[in-house]
């Protein structure tokens, strides 16, 4: 069963006093930073950021009001901690302490101070839930009026925002001429910004509210050249582009025939161009090591026949042949009928 405990509520009151002090110092430091930002917005040239400064000013006003409410609640906590014996020895709430107790109960759920929630619970155990409901509804106006006003969720009026901006401009020596207040009730909430302080993206030198003018269309004079984009390139035919290129594994005779017909060159011969010096040989001999022979021979490419490159890759079984099979293969390779091969070349040329 829960009951009121004097030894529990008094330490919470002491801790709440220190908590209010810490929170007030943090918000005071934040207030200075926000005021400097507002001063920089008002000092911008050529057009001050007044609308953004007004929005920042509302945050400054809110923090300023919160710090004031914290100081008032801190005083009530100190008073209740000093008179805790007087509260504990009375069954009902004394009239002298009704405003102090009611203010702490009302503000417990409206400020970010966890100790006030414990204090509110102890006071509820002391005076009952009916008393707490009357305080929450502020029946009879027993709650401190300044605390109610400073913790209110209603935004500040336009006149209050303007006065804060003027004070900040004077504090930071900013030359800013505040606009005149519009006719009507100055206690009304400031209207939403319409963007008059935001520079126009296109045609910034035109009067405000005027529609931007687009540039005149370009007139084409007869006989005057106009730079136009180049036409799209013709579609690329990969077969035509690569038809005269030799790829390993293709029929070299057919490719060589196409190159000879296009360039009017004789088949399987090398021709020296007119601009080529005569001392440069058309075919350079090279040395190669023959199979099953330790001797090196010079082979003249100009006298060597053209052999098709479409040779099948030997299988594993063929690579494992004996020396006799390899010699027979070399012997069969030397029995090529060159006359028949040249006859085929002449038939392809025709």
């Amino acid at each position: 069963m829960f009951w009121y405990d004097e030894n529990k509520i008094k330490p919470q009151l002491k801790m709440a006093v220190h908590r209010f002090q810490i929170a007030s110092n943090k918000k005071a430091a934040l207030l200075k930073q926000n005021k400097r930002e507002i001063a920089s917005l008002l000092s911008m040239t050529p057009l001050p950021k007044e609308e953004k400064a007004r929005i920042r000013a509302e945050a400054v006003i809110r923090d300023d009001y919160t710090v004031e409410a914290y100081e008032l609640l801190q005083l009530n906590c100190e008073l209740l901690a000093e008179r805790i014996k007087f509260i504990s020895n009375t069954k009902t709430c004394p009239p002298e302490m009704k405003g102090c107790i009611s203010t702490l109960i009302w503000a417990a759920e409206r400020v970010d101070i966890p100790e006030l929630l414990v204090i509110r619970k102890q006071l509820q155990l002391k005076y009952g839930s009916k008393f707490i409901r009357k305080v929450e509804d502020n029946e009879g106006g027993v709650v401190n009026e300044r605390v109610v006003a400073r913790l209110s969720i209603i935004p500040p009026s336009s006149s209050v925002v303007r006065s804060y901006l003027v004070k900040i401009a004077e504090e930071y020596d900013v030359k800013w001429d505040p606009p005149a207040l519009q006719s009507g009730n100055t206690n009304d909430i400031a209207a939403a910004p319409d963007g008059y302080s935001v520079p126009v993206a296109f045609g910034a030198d035109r009067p405000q509210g005027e529609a931007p003018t687009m540039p005149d269309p370009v007139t084409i004079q007869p006989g005057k050249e106009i730079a136009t984009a180049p036409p799209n390139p013709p579609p690329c035919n990969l077969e035509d582009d690569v038809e005269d290129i030799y790829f390993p594994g293709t029929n070299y005779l057919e490719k060589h025939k196409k190159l000879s017909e296009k360039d009017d060159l004789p088949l399987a011969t090398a021709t020296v161009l007119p601009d080529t010096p005569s001392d440069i040989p058309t075919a350079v001999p090279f040395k190669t090591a023959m199979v099953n022979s330790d001797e090196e021979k010079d082979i003249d490419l100009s006298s060597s026949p053209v052999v098709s490159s479409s040779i099948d890759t030997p299988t594993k079984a063929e690579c494992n042949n004996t020396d006799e099979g390899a010699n027979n293969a070399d012997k069969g390779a030397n029995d090529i009928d060159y006359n028949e091969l040249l006859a085929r070349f002449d038939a392809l040329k025709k």
Side-chain angles (χ1 to χ4, degrees), residues 29-46:
L30 186 61
L31 276 172
K32 293 181 179 179
Q33 180 180 355
N34 291 336
K35 287 181 179 180
R36 284 194 297 267
E37 293 179 358
I38 293 174
S40 63
L41 291 174
L42 296 177
S43 62
M44 286 186 176
T45 56

Side-chain angles (χ1 to χ4, degrees), residues 242-243 245 250-259:
V242 300
E243 107 181 305
I245 302 176
T250 60
N251 194 337
Y252 179 75
L253 295 178
E254 296 181 0
K255 296 297 178 181
H256 192 71
K257 175 178 177 298
K258 294 182 179 181
L259 291 174

Side-chain angles (χ1 to χ4, degrees), residues 12-77:
Q12 295 295 328
L13 290 169
K14 294 292 184 179
M15 287 189 292
V17 172
H18 294 288
R19 183 83 68 177
F20 277 122
Q21 186 65 37
I22 295 173
S24 299
N25 294 337
K26 289 183 178 179
K27 287 190 175 294
L30 186 61
L31 276 172
K32 293 181 179 179
Q33 180 180 355
N34 291 336
K35 287 181 179 180
R36 284 194 297 267
E37 293 179 358
I38 293 174
S40 63
L41 291 174
L42 296 177
S43 62
M44 286 186 176
T45 56
L47 191 62
K49 301 286 186 180
E50 293 181 0
E51 292 177 311
K52 185 177 289 187
R54 290 179 183 275
I55 297 175
R56 298 287 182 87
E58 291 189 7
V60 169
I61 294 171
R62 176 70 56 197
D63 291 340
D64 200 5
Y65 284 179
T66 305
V67 170
E68 181 181 352
Y70 282 179
E71 293 180 357
L72 294 173
L73 294 173
Q74 184 179 358
L75 293 176
N76 290 328
C77 289

Side-chain angles (χ1 to χ4, degrees), residues 9-234:
I9 188 174
K10 187 173 182 179
Q12 295 295 328
L13 290 169
K14 294 292 184 179
M15 287 189 292
V17 172
H18 294 288
R19 183 83 68 177
F20 277 122
Q21 186 65 37
I22 295 173
S24 299
N25 294 337
K26 289 183 178 179
K27 287 190 175 294
L30 186 61
L31 276 172
K32 293 181 179 179
Q33 180 180 355
N34 291 336
K35 287 181 179 180
R36 284 194 297 267
E37 293 179 358
I38 293 174
S40 63
L41 291 174
L42 296 177
S43 62
M44 286 186 176
T45 56
L47 191 62
K49 301 286 186 180
E50 293 181 0
E51 292 177 311
K52 185 177 289 187
R54 290 179 183 275
I55 297 175
R56 298 287 182 87
E58 291 189 7
V60 169
I61 294 171
R62 176 70 56 197
D63 291 340
D64 200 5
Y65 284 179
T66 305
V67 170
E68 181 181 352
Y70 282 179
E71 293 180 357
L72 294 173
L73 294 173
Q74 184 179 358
L75 293 176
N76 290 328
C77 289
E78 291 179 354
L79 179 61
L80 186 59
E82 292 297 331
R83 298 182 181 180
I84 193 65
K85 293 290 185 180
F86 176 61
I87 297 298
S88 301
N89 294 326
T90 56
K91 294 182 179 180
T92 60
C93 181
E96 298 85 358
M97 298 296 297
K98 191 172 184 180
C100 175
I101 294 174
S102 300
T103 301
L104 293 177
I105 294 174
W106 183 86
E109 296 182 352
R110 292 173 172 81
V111 295
D112 191 14
I113 304 297
E115 287 79 7
L116 280 187
L117 296 175
V118 181
I119 295 171
R120 179 182 180 276
K121 186 176 181 180
Q122 288 294 319
L123 293 175
Q124 183 179 0
L125 295 174
K126 174 68 176 177
Y127 299 114
S129 300
K130 186 178 180 179
F131 178 81
I132 299 298
R133 285 194 298 268
K134 290 182 179 180
V135 172
E136 289 290 343
D137 297 337
N138 196 14
E139 293 183 3
V142 293
V143 182
N144 192 315
E145 295 181 357
R146 290 180 62 185
V147 175
V148 174
R150 297 301 178 258
L151 295 181
S152 176
I153 60 174
I154 300 175
S157 61
S158 58
S159 60
V160 175
V161 174
R162 183 177 183 273
S163 63
Y164 263 81
L165 291 177
V166 172
K167 183 179 179 181
I168 292 172
E170 293 177 354
E171 182 179 355
Y172 289 89
D173 296 332
V174 176
K175 295 181 180 180
W176 174 67
D177 296 330
L181 292 175
Q182 298 179 358
S183 60
N185 189 3
T186 58
N187 293 326
D188 294 339
I189 300 174
D194 55 2
Y196 70 89
S197 62
V198 179
V200 182
F202 177 77
D205 54 345
R206 60 184 171 84
Q208 297 179 3
E210 182 180 347
T213 56
M214 299 301 293
D216 298 333
V218 179
T219 57
I220 302 174
Q221 299 179 1
K224 185 178 180 180
E225 296 182 358
I226 300 176
T228 59
N232 295 330

